[in-house]
Amino acid sequence: MTQPEVLRELATYADGEVDEVLRAELDRAVASDPEFRAAVARWQALRQCARRAVASEPVPGDLKGRICRALAHQRRLRLFRWWGLSGLALASAALLVVLLVRPTPPAVFPDNGVVVLHPADFARIYEKCGYTYHHSLTEIGERRPVEVAQEVKTWSDIDFPVYLPDISSEGFRLAGVCRCFPPERTGIRTVHANYVRGEFSPGTSSPPENVVSLFSMSGRIELAQQRRICASDQGCGHPQRHYFVARVGENVTVIKWDEAQSSLVVCSCIPQEELVELVDSAELAQSQVAQLAD
Amino acid sequence: MPDEGKDSFEALAVPHLETVYRVARRLARDEHEAEDLAQETYLKAYKAFGRFEVREFGIRPWLLKILYNTFLNRQARDKKGPKATDQQTLDQVRAAEGYFGPPELDYENLDQEVRRAIDDLPAEFRSVLLLWATMEVSYQEIAQILGIPIGTVMSRLHRARQQLAEQLEGFAREHRITGPKSE
């Protein structure tokens, strides 16, 4: 090998990356020439300089903790997914319902102490618990509403009138009763009853007009942007009630009225006039109120 | 379910955090970017740990491979890809005989100068040089980590070393240190 050829190979030689034949040749060259030995030493020194320079870079003190926390977070997520796939789908669905029906806008307390709630919150429960899931905390079966009401009366925190009218004459049957409508920010407690008519199955494309939600509230509320229904609108047939209405989107109607010290709300895609008639016809209340208040 | 034992990801990978960070620091040339890069590397590695098989060199080359790919992805994402390097005119560095780096050398200044010189290298040279400098691994292993042919490793390393030597030449002269002789 010529001197330039040897010099060209010495960096690789210094790294120990040459094959045996070439190594033997370079070993002899380095042993016989101090310039080659110096070149090898310089390449090795350069590597050591680079290694030292990189290794002397200070590492942020909190980096390890930060990464360990990120890994722990990932592990929790993985555990959550693992559990989620291992049979708690039902519980997750229930949780989803609760989360979906959480009221998004904060409740407002006007000067008179009455809680103002957004009609969209009722519409959301109507859509999820009523139309999509027929959410129920009890088995309805063939029981009449009044029988279900007796059971609901035994639930915890039910110290207010719960209205479960029998509106089978209008074609509706009771399909579910739940407590959805988290009232933690308002102090208001609620029982939500959903009624269906016809061949209705949850989760299908059955018409939403076949579902009605009725909310019994533990106190008086008002609907945001509510408007009182007057006789000139379409007539309020019930002599003792004052209906207030609010719209959500294109086709959801929310109607509220008061009974004694509490409010009731009905929500549906049924046209407003028909919904008013349905509520008018429901002599829900007084007999059951008296019954439940006993 | 995660394994918390000695073969868990944390037990195997966290001891290499400093190396990963330091390589990330020189690759990214920015402290905060390096921290993010290191964290992203570890999270990716954690997620892919099930596919990792401990081989001859352990988990470190695997982590560095993820680091390098993450770095490239970030560069592509930020549209700050490595600029094409002009053909370097590698001047011959002629210096007197002797070892580079006498014992009385100011190592702190030297380290800074070397880091600066490494930072000035194009990214594709820098990555090869960093692996070469920080790890006792073969060219073949570097090629596997970076996903490039071994011939490319050798040519990049050759040019990276030459440039590093050039960069350090001025510092060496200033401090009356002999520079490395060119090949």
Side-chain angles (χ1 to χ4, degrees), chain A:
Chain A
M1 293 178 76
T2 63
Q3 188 186 38
E5 287 173 338
V6 172
L7 284 171
R8 198 162 46 242
E9 297 293 344
L10 285 183
T12 310
Y13 172 80
D15 288 340
E17 291 278 351
V18 293
D19 61 43
E20 287 187 13
V21 177
L22 183 56
R23 170 179 294 280
E25 194 169 348
L26 291 172
D27 280 346
R28 286 191 295 275
V30 168
S32 63
D33 190 327
E35 186 180 350
F36 293 158
R37 283 199 298 276
V40 171
R42 283 191 291 269
W43 288 125
Q44 289 173 337
L46 182 68
R47 187 175 193 176
Q48 287 169 7
C49 276
R51 179 179 299 158
R52 178 190 159 80
V54 174
S56 63
E57 179 77 49
V59 177
D62 63 339
L63 181 64
K64 183 177 178 182
R66 189 149 66 92
I67 288 180
C68 287
R69 283 193 296 275
L71 292 173
H73 178 66
Q74 279 297 320
R75 189 186 300 115
R76 283 194 297 273
L77 287 178
R78 185 174 285 186
L79 271 174
F80 181 77
R81 282 195 289 270
W82 189 85
W83 281 108
L85 293 171
S86 65
L88 291 183
L90 205 60
S92 300
L95 178 65
L96 180 67
V97 168
V98 171
L99 291 175
L100 285 172
V101 299
R102 287 177 70 89
T104 44
V108 180
F109 294 83
D111 293 340
N112 61 7
V114 175
V115 177
V116 177
L117 296 173
H118 291 261
D121 290 334
F122 296 99
R124 197 174 297 120
I125 301 168
Y126 160 73
E127 180 190 349
K128 299 300 177 187
C129 295
Y131 180 69
T132 306
Y133 295 109
H134 284 193
H135 187 208
S136 186
L137 299 178
T138 183
E139 179 66 39
I140 304 297
E142 298 299 320
R143 288 190 291 171
R144 293 180 298 138
V146 66
E147 292 170 318
V148 177
Q150 290 293 347
E151 179 196 329
V152 172
K153 185 183 174 184
T154 65
W155 292 356
S156 62
D157 293 333
I158 303 295
D159 55 0
F160 56 94
V162 175
Y163 299 86
L164 296 179
D166 186 341
I167 47 176
S168 56
S169 61
E170 305 297 322
F172 284 91
R173 64 184 183 279
L174 184 63
V177 183
C178 64
R179 302 295 306 275
C180 290
F181 194 69
E184 60 264 27
R185 285 182 296 174
T186 64
I188 295 286
R189 286 162 286 131
T190 314
V191 170
H192 166 232
N194 61 83
Y195 292 80
V196 300
R197 66 181 172 189
E199 295 299 320
F200 191 94
S201 299
T204 66
S205 56
S206 303
E209 293 84 2
N210 285 354
V211 180
V212 171
S213 283
L214 174 66
F215 300 86
S216 301
M217 322 291 292
S218 65
R220 289 279 186 93
I221 68 149
E222 290 180 5
L223 295 174
Q225 298 177 324
Q226 67 182 14
R227 180 175 59 85
R228 183 171 177 174
I229 300 177
C230 300
S232 57
D233 291 330
Q234 77 254 289
C236 172
H238 200 285
Q240 297 174 329
R241 295 178 190 160
H242 300 293
Y243 293 141
F244 295 87
V245 65
R247 301 279 294 180
V248 179
E250 290 293 317
N251 53 4
V252 178
T253 302
V254 182
I255 296 175
K256 168 257 170 185
W257 74 99
D258 296 330
E259 297 279 353
Q261 297 305 311
S262 59
S263 299
L264 287 96
V265 172
V266 67
C267 179
S268 181
C269 285
I270 294 175
Q272 180 177 315
E273 189 173 343
E274 186 182 341
L275 190 58
V276 169
E277 288 177 4
L278 177 66
V279 176
D280 274 348
S281 68
E283 282 303 332
L284 29 103
Q286 298 309 319
S287 60
Q288 287 193 34
V289 172
Q291 199 172 7
L292 289 170
D294 289 340

Side-chain angles (χ1 to χ4, degrees), chain B residues 50-126:
Chain B
R51 300 194 295 274
F52 169 71
E53 296 174 6
V54 179
R55 285 176 289 181
E56 185 182 357
F57 294 103
I59 197 172
R60 193 166 65 164
W62 185 66
L63 289 172
L64 290 170
K65 182 173 189 171
I66 295 173
L67 168 68
Y68 182 65
N69 288 332
T70 305
F71 168 69
L72 290 183
N73 289 339
R74 281 181 164 231
Q75 278 204 321
R77 190 178 61 202
D78 297 341
K79 297 180 179 176
K80 293 177 184 172
K83 295 174 183 174
T85 310
D86 295 331
Q87 189 68 31
Q88 299 293 321
T89 306
L90 302 175
D91 297 335
Q92 297 292 308
V93 180
R94 296 298 179 191
E97 286 187 11
Y99 288 84
F100 181 64
E104 65 273 21
L105 187 61
D106 179 351
Y107 280 109
E108 191 174 332
N109 278 339
L110 175 63
D111 290 343
Q112 287 180 3
E113 194 66 23
V114 173
R115 285 199 289 264
R116 196 174 299 127
I118 292 173
D119 287 355
D120 285 344
L121 293 171
E124 64 268 29
F125 291 2
R126 202 160 68 242

